[in-house]
Coordinates of all heavy atoms in Angstrom, one line a residue:
R258 N 191.1 8.9 163.0 CA 190.6 7.9 163.9 C 191.5 7.9 165.2 O 191.0 7.7 166.3 CB 190.7 6.5 163.3 CG 190.2 5.4 164.2 CD 190.3 4.0 163.7 NE 189.8 3.1 164.6 CZ 190.5 2.7 165.7 NH1 191.7 3.1 165.9 NH2 190.0 1.8 166.6
E259 N 192.8 8.1 165.0 CA 193.7 8.2 166.2 C 193.2 9.3 167.2 O 193.1 9.1 168.4 CB 195.1 8.5 165.8 CG 195.9 7.4 165.1 CD 197.3 7.8 164.8 OE1 197.5 9.0 164.5 OE2 198.1 6.9 164.8
Q260 N 192.8 10.4 166.6 CA 192.3 11.6 167.4 C 191.0 11.2 168.1 O 190.8 11.5 169.3 CB 192.1 12.8 166.5 CG 191.6 14.0 167.2 CD 191.6 15.2 166.3 OE1 192.6 15.5 165.6 NE2 190.5 16.0 166.4
R261 N 190.1 10.5 167.4 CA 188.8 10.1 168.0 C 189.0 9.1 169.1 O 188.4 9.2 170.1 CB 187.9 9.5 166.9 CG 187.4 10.5 165.9 CD 186.3 9.9 165.1 NE 186.7 8.8 164.3 CZ 187.2 8.8 163.1 NH1 187.4 10.0 162.5 NH2 187.6 7.8 162.4
V262 N 190.0 8.2 168.9 CA 190.3 7.2 170.0 C 190.7 7.9 171.3 O 190.2 7.6 172.4 CB 191.3 6.2 169.6 CG1 191.9 5.4 170.8 CG2 190.8 5.2 168.5
V263 N 191.6 8.9 171.1 CA 192.1 9.6 172.3 C 191.0 10.4 172.9 O 190.8 10.4 174.2 CB 193.3 10.6 171.9 CG1 193.7 11.4 173.1 CG2 194.4 9.8 171.4
A264 N 190.2 11.1 172.1 CA 189.1 11.9 172.7 C 188.1 11.0 173.4 O 187.5 11.4 174.5 CB 188.3 12.6 171.5
E265 N 187.8 9.8 172.9 CA 186.9 8.9 173.6 C 187.5 8.3 174.9 O 186.7 8.0 175.9 CB 186.6 7.7 172.7 CG 185.8 8.0 171.5 CD 185.7 6.9 170.5 OE1 186.3 5.8 170.8 OE2 185.0 7.0 169.5
K266 N 188.8 8.3 175.1 CA 189.4 7.7 176.3 C 189.7 8.8 177.4 O 189.9 8.5 178.5 CB 190.7 7.0 176.0 CG 190.5 5.9 175.0 CD 189.4 4.9 175.4 CE 189.1 3.9 174.3 NZ 188.0 3.0 174.6
L267 N 189.6 10.1 177.0 CA 189.9 11.1 178.0 C 189.0 11.1 179.2 O 189.4 11.3 180.3 CB 189.8 12.5 177.3 CG 190.9 12.8 176.2 CD1 190.7 14.2 175.6 CD2 192.3 12.7 176.9
P268 N 187.6 10.9 179.0 CA 186.8 10.8 180.3 C 187.2 9.8 181.3 O 187.2 10.0 182.5 CB 185.4 10.5 179.7 CG 185.4 11.1 178.3 CD 186.8 10.8 177.8
G269 N 187.7 8.6 180.7 CA 188.1 7.5 181.6 C 189.4 7.9 182.3 O 189.6 7.6 183.5
L270 N 190.3 8.6 181.6 CA 191.5 9.1 182.2 C 191.3 10.1 183.3 O 192.0 10.2 184.3 CB 192.5 9.7 181.1 CG 193.0 8.7 180.1 CD1 193.9 9.4 179.1 CD2 193.7 7.5 180.7
I271 N 190.2 10.9 183.1 CA 189.8 11.9 184.1 C 189.3 11.2 185.4 O 189.7 11.5 186.5 CB 188.7 12.9 183.6 CG1 189.3 13.7 182.5 CG2 188.2 13.7 184.7 CD1 188.2 14.6 181.8
T272 N 188.5 10.2 185.2 CA 187.9 9.4 186.3 C 189.1 8.7 187.0 O 189.0 8.6 188.3 CB 187.0 8.3 185.7 OG1 185.9 9.0 185.0 CG2 186.4 7.5 186.9
S273 N 190.1 8.3 186.3 CA 191.2 7.6 187.0 C 192.1 8.5 187.7 O 193.1 8.1 188.4 CB 192.0 6.8 185.9 OG 191.2 5.8 185.3
G274 N 191.9 9.8 187.5 CA 192.8 10.8 188.1 C 194.1 11.0 187.4 O 195.0 11.6 188.0
L275 N 194.3 10.5 186.2 CA 195.5 10.6 185.5 C 195.7 12.0 184.8 O 196.8 12.4 184.5 CB 195.7 9.5 184.5 CG 195.8 8.1 185.1 CD1 195.7 7.0 184.1 CD2 197.2 8.0 185.8
I276 N 194.5 12.6 184.4 CA 194.5 13.9 183.8 C 193.4 14.7 184.5 O 192.5 14.1 185.1 CB 194.3 13.9 182.3 CG1 192.9 13.4 181.9 CG2 195.4 13.1 181.6 CD1 192.6 13.5 180.4
T277 N 193.4 16.0 184.3 CA 192.4 16.9 184.9 C 191.4 17.2 183.8 O 191.7 17.2 182.6 CB 193.0 18.2 185.4 OG1 193.5 18.9 184.3 CG2 194.2 17.8 186.4
P278 N 190.2 17.6 184.2 CA 189.2 18.0 183.2 C 189.7 19.2 182.4 O 189.4 19.3 181.2 CB 188.0 18.5 184.1 CG 188.1 17.6 185.4 CD 189.6 17.6 185.6
N279 N 190.5 20.1 183.0 CA 191.0 21.2 182.2 C 191.9 20.7 181.1 O 191.9 21.2 179.9 CB 191.8 22.2 183.1 CG 192.5 23.3 182.4 OD1 193.6 23.1 182.0 ND2 191.8 24.4 182.1
E280 N 192.8 19.7 181.4 CA 193.7 19.2 180.4 C 193.0 18.5 179.3 O 193.5 18.5 178.2 CB 194.7 18.2 181.1 CG 195.7 19.0 182.0 CD 196.4 18.0 183.0 OE1 196.0 16.8 183.1 OE2 197.3 18.5 183.7
A281 N 191.9 17.9 179.6 CA 191.1 17.2 178.6 C 190.6 18.1 177.5 O 190.3 17.7 176.4 CB 189.9 16.4 179.2
T282 N 190.5 19.4 177.8 CA 190.0 20.4 176.8 C 191.0 20.6 175.7 O 190.6 21.0 174.6 CB 189.7 21.8 177.5 OG1 190.9 22.4 178.0 CG2 188.7 21.6 178.6
W283 N 192.3 20.3 176.0 CA 193.3 20.6 174.9 C 194.0 19.3 174.4 O 194.8 19.4 173.5 CB 194.3 21.7 175.3 CG 195.0 21.4 176.6 CD1 194.7 21.9 177.8 CD2 196.2 20.7 176.8 NE1 195.6 21.5 178.8 CE2 196.6 20.7 178.2 CE3 197.1 20.0 175.9 CZ2 197.7 20.1 178.7 CZ3 198.2 19.4 176.4 CH2 198.5 19.5 177.8
L284 N 193.7 18.2 175.1 CA 194.4 17.0 174.7 C 193.7 16.2 173.5 O 194.3 15.3 173.0 CB 194.5 16.0 175.9 CG 195.6 16.4 176.9 CD1 195.4 15.6 178.2 CD2 197.0 16.2 176.4
G285 N 192.6 16.6 173.2 CA 191.8 15.9 172.2 C 191.9 16.2 170.7 O 191.4 15.5 169.9
S286 N 192.7 17.2 170.4 CA 193.0 17.5 169.0 C 194.3 18.0 168.8 O 195.0 18.6 169.7 CB 191.9 18.5 168.5 OG 192.2 19.8 168.9
M287 N 194.8 17.9 167.6 CA 196.2 18.4 167.2 C 196.2 20.0 167.4 O 197.2 20.5 167.9 CB 196.6 18.0 165.8 CG 197.9 18.5 165.4 SD 199.3 17.8 166.4 CE 199.2 16.1 165.8
R288 N 195.1 20.6 167.0 CA 195.1 22.1 167.0 C 195.2 22.6 168.4 O 196.0 23.5 168.7 CB 193.8 22.6 166.3 CG 193.7 24.1 166.3 CD 192.3 24.5 165.7 NE 191.2 24.0 166.5 CZ 190.7 24.6 167.6 NH1 191.3 25.7 168.1 NH2 189.7 24.1 168.2
T289 N 194.4 22.1 169.3 CA 194.4 22.5 170.7 C 195.6 22.1 171.4 O 196.1 22.8 172.3 CB 193.1 22.0 171.4 OG1 193.1 20.6 171.3 CG2 191.9 22.6 170.9
R290 N 196.2 20.9 171.1 CA 197.4 20.5 171.7 C 198.6 21.4 171.3 O 199.4 21.8 172.2 CB 197.7 19.1 171.2 CG 198.8 18.4 172.1 CD 198.9 16.9 171.7 NE 199.8 16.7 170.6 CZ 200.1 15.4 170.2 NH1 199.6 14.4 170.8 NH2 200.9 15.3 169.1
K291 N 198.6 21.8 170.0 CA 199.7 22.7 169.6 C 199.5 24.1 170.3 O 200.6 24.7 170.7 CB 199.6 22.9 168.1 CG 200.1 21.7 167.3 CD 199.9 21.9 165.8 CE 200.7 23.0 165.3 NZ 200.6 23.2 163.8
A292 N 198.3 24.5 170.5 CA 198.1 25.8 171.2 C 198.5 25.7 172.6 O 199.1 26.7 173.1 CB 196.6 26.2 171.1
A293 N 198.3 24.6 173.3 CA 198.7 24.5 174.7 C 200.2 24.4 174.8 O 200.8 25.0 175.7 CB 198.1 23.2 175.3
I294 N 200.9 23.7 173.8 CA 202.4 23.7 173.8 C 202.9 25.1 173.6 O 203.9 25.5 174.2 CB 202.8 22.7 172.7 CG1 202.4 21.3 173.1 CG2 204.3 22.8 172.6 CD1 202.7 20.2 172.0
A295 N 202.3 25.8 172.7 CA 202.7 27.2 172.4 C 202.6 28.1 173.7 O 203.5 28.9 174.0 CB 201.9 27.8 171.2
A296 N 201.5 27.9 174.4 CA 201.3 28.6 175.6 C 202.4 28.3 176.7 O 202.9 29.1 177.4 CB 199.9 28.3 176.2
A297 N 202.7 27.0 176.7 CA 203.8 26.5 177.7 C 205.1 27.1 177.3 O 205.9 27.5 178.1 CB 203.9 25.0 177.7
N298 N 205.4 27.2 176.0 CA 206.6 27.9 175.5 C 206.7 29.3 176.0 O 207.7 29.8 176.4 CB 206.7 27.8 174.0 CG 207.2 26.5 173.5 OD1 208.1 25.9 174.1 ND2 206.6 26.0 172.3
Q299 N 205.5 30.0 175.9 CA 205.5 31.4 176.3 C 205.7 31.6 177.8 O 206.4 32.5 178.3 CB 204.2 32.1 175.9 CG 204.0 32.2 174.4 CD 202.6 32.8 174.0 OE1 201.8 32.9 174.9 NE2 202.5 33.1 172.7
I300 N 205.2 30.6 178.6 CA 205.3 30.7 180.0 C 206.7 30.3 180.5 O 207.3 31.0 181.4 CB 204.2 29.8 180.7 CG1 202.8 30.3 180.4 CG2 204.4 29.7 182.2 CD1 201.7 29.3 180.8
G301 N 207.2 29.1 180.1 CA 208.4 28.6 180.6 C 209.5 28.3 179.6 O 210.5 27.7 180.0
G302 N 209.4 28.8 178.4 CA 210.4 28.6 177.4 C 210.3 27.2 176.7 O 209.4 26.4 176.9
A303 N 211.3 26.9 175.9 CA 211.3 25.7 175.0 C 211.2 24.4 175.8 O 210.6 23.5 175.5 CB 212.5 25.7 174.1
A304 N 211.9 24.4 177.0 CA 211.9 23.2 177.8 C 210.5 22.9 178.3 O 210.1 21.7 178.4 CB 212.9 23.3 179.0
A305 N 209.8 23.9 178.7 CA 208.5 23.7 179.2 C 207.5 23.2 178.1 O 206.7 22.3 178.3 CB 207.9 25.1 179.7
G306 N 207.7 23.8 176.9 CA 206.9 23.3 175.8 C 207.2 21.9 175.4 O 206.3 21.1 175.1
K307 N 208.5 21.5 175.5 CA 208.8 20.1 175.2 C 208.2 19.2 176.2 O 207.8 18.1 175.9 CB 210.4 20.0 175.2 CG 210.9 18.6 174.8 CD 212.4 18.6 174.8 CE 212.9 17.2 174.4 NZ 214.4 17.2 174.3
S308 N 208.2 19.6 177.5 CA 207.7 18.7 178.6 C 206.2 18.5 178.4 O 205.6 17.4 178.6 CB 208.0 19.3 179.9 OG 207.3 20.5 180.2
V309 N 205.5 19.6 178.0 CA 204.0 19.5 177.8 C 203.7 18.6 176.6 O 202.8 17.8 176.6 CB 203.4 20.9 177.6 CG1 201.9 20.7 177.1 CG2 203.5 21.6 178.9

Side-chain angles (χ1 to χ4, degrees):
R258 183 186 177 281
E259 288 183 329
Q260 181 173 313
R261 290 193 297 272
V262 167
V263 174
E265 290 170 0
K266 303 307 170 186
L267 290 179
L270 296 179
I271 295 174
T272 303
S273 301
L275 293 169
I276 66 172
T277 67
N279 173 271
E280 289 163 354
T282 66
W283 56 265
L284 284 167
S286 76
M287 181 64 72
R288 179 182 62 82
T289 55
R290 193 170 86 175
K291 287 176 63 177
I294 293 172
N298 278 323
Q299 293 178 351
I300 294 172
K307 184 177 180 180
S308 66
V309 171

